Amino acid sequence: MTEQKNTFADQKRKTVESAEFTEDGRYKRKVRSFVLRTGRLSEYQRQMMNDNWANYGVDYQDELFDFAKIYGNSHPVVLEIGFGMGKSLVEMAAQHPDRNYLGIEVHTPGVGACLAYALEKGVKNLRVMCHDATEVLRDCIAENSLGGLQLFFPDPWQKAKHHKRRIVQPAFVETVAKKLQTGGFIHFATDWGNYAEHMLGVLQSVQSAVGIRNVSITNDYIERPDFRPLTKFEQRGHKLGHRVWDLYFIKE
């Protein structure tokens, strides 16, 4: 019989995957912007989480984060939602020691892989979370506290009936803008043309109200900036002729 795992990493995985119920016991259905894949958490990834969470992990809390306490400095904090296996996030943290990075990912294999690569690269300015990003933004991030928000290749939810599940919606951008410092940025990237148009439309619909400006000289998309690492996923797409759209807005 296989031994039942009950380590920190496995408990974190169960917490993210757990169903939620109302006070009278009914299942609480939530419209999530992500699908919780049940990919295997390898022993190595499990060990990385168990051994390094104290130094790299941040737990969800129902009060605002004190970033100066978390990172030990006052550098601007860049939040990345959905970092996948974390390679590009770690590379950005290594390339920008004058910034702090906070990555959120609900899939524990990716969290474990990210921690392993962070250790390999020796980065100190990175922290990770394993929780629903919308709840973290709502409950843990103070207004005017972020230097930037990155969202690269989120689930496009291709079917029209599922577009409501896309994380980029007016309310989401309005929330993000409130959390940004003056001069802070919003950087989205996608390889789905329909989602790129959706993202641009959402950003344009609220930009005047929330005080953000598109840096694109054509008022739509920018070329991939050098500071966004080219992922294996993106390289594979380029070989297949897939285009990638980057959007970059600044809070004024």
Side-chain angles (χ1 to χ4, degrees), residues 84-105:
M85 302 305 280
K87 191 172 188 295
S88 64
L89 174 60
V90 172
E91 290 178 353
M92 291 186 80
Q95 293 168 9
H96 300 280
D98 57 337
R99 292 180 176 178
N100 296 319
Y101 287 83
L102 176 62
I104 303 177
E105 177 58 63

Side-chain angles (χ1 to χ4, degrees), residues 41-252:
L41 179 66
S42 72
E43 286 299 328
Y44 182 63
Q45 292 163 349
R46 179 179 286 109
Q47 181 183 346
M48 288 297 99
M49 287 189 68
N50 290 335
D51 293 351
N52 299 291
W53 194 260
N55 293 325
Y56 284 98
V58 177
D59 291 312
Y60 166 83
Q61 61 187 41
D62 59 358
E63 59 185 51
L64 300 177
F65 288 146
D66 182 343
F67 286 138
K69 183 177 181 180
I70 291 173
Y71 293 97
N73 59 58
S74 58
H75 294 166
V77 177
V78 176
L79 175 65
E80 179 165 333
I81 296 176
F83 57 75
M85 302 305 280
K87 191 172 188 295
S88 64
L89 174 60
V90 172
E91 290 178 353
M92 291 186 80
Q95 293 168 9
H96 300 280
D98 57 337
R99 292 180 176 178
N100 296 319
Y101 287 83
L102 176 62
I104 303 177
E105 177 58 63
V106 295
H107 307 291
T108 48
V111 175
C114 181
L115 292 178
Y117 194 48
L119 286 171
E120 179 184 330
K121 298 289 285 186
V123 300
K124 305 295 184 183
N125 57 331
L126 171 66
R127 300 293 184 272
V128 299
M129 297 188 70
C130 191
H131 198 82
D132 182 348
T134 58
E135 294 179 356
V136 174
L137 273 171
R138 181 191 67 201
D139 301 331
C140 307
I141 309 295
E143 293 189 3
N144 306 304
S145 69
L146 290 178
L149 182 285
Q150 300 176 170
L151 179 69
F152 301 148
F153 308 104
D155 193 323
W157 295 101
Q158 302 99 308
K159 295 181 180 179
K161 67 179 181 179
H162 289 156
H163 285 184
K164 64 184 178 182
R165 292 181 176 270
R166 290 175 168 177
I167 189 171
V168 179
Q169 305 290 351
F172 172 76
V173 175
E174 289 168 0
T175 297
V176 169
K178 291 178 182 178
K179 307 298 181 176
L180 291 176
Q181 301 167 344
T182 300
F185 66 85
I186 295 175
H187 186 182
F188 295 157
T190 180
D191 61 340
W192 282 87
N194 176 267
Y195 201 3
E197 293 174 0
H198 171 88
M199 288 176 169
L200 180 60
V202 168
L203 287 162
Q204 290 176 334
S205 72
V206 301
Q207 64 179 17
S208 296
V210 302
I212 56 175
R213 173 180 56 85
N214 193 348
V215 303
S216 167
I217 59 174
T218 53
N219 203 35
D220 48 18
Y221 312 103
I222 63 170
E223 295 296 324
R224 184 187 71 84
D226 292 338
F227 56 79
R228 180 172 71 76
L230 191 65
T231 65
K232 288 183 178 180
F233 166 82
E234 193 173 353
Q235 289 174 331
R236 186 165 59 248
H238 284 175
K239 291 179 180 179
L240 296 173
H242 296 173
R243 181 181 172 184
V244 172
W245 292 265
D246 281 77
L247 300 99
Y248 201 93
F249 281 64
I250 298 290
K251 181 177 179 178
E252 298 184 312

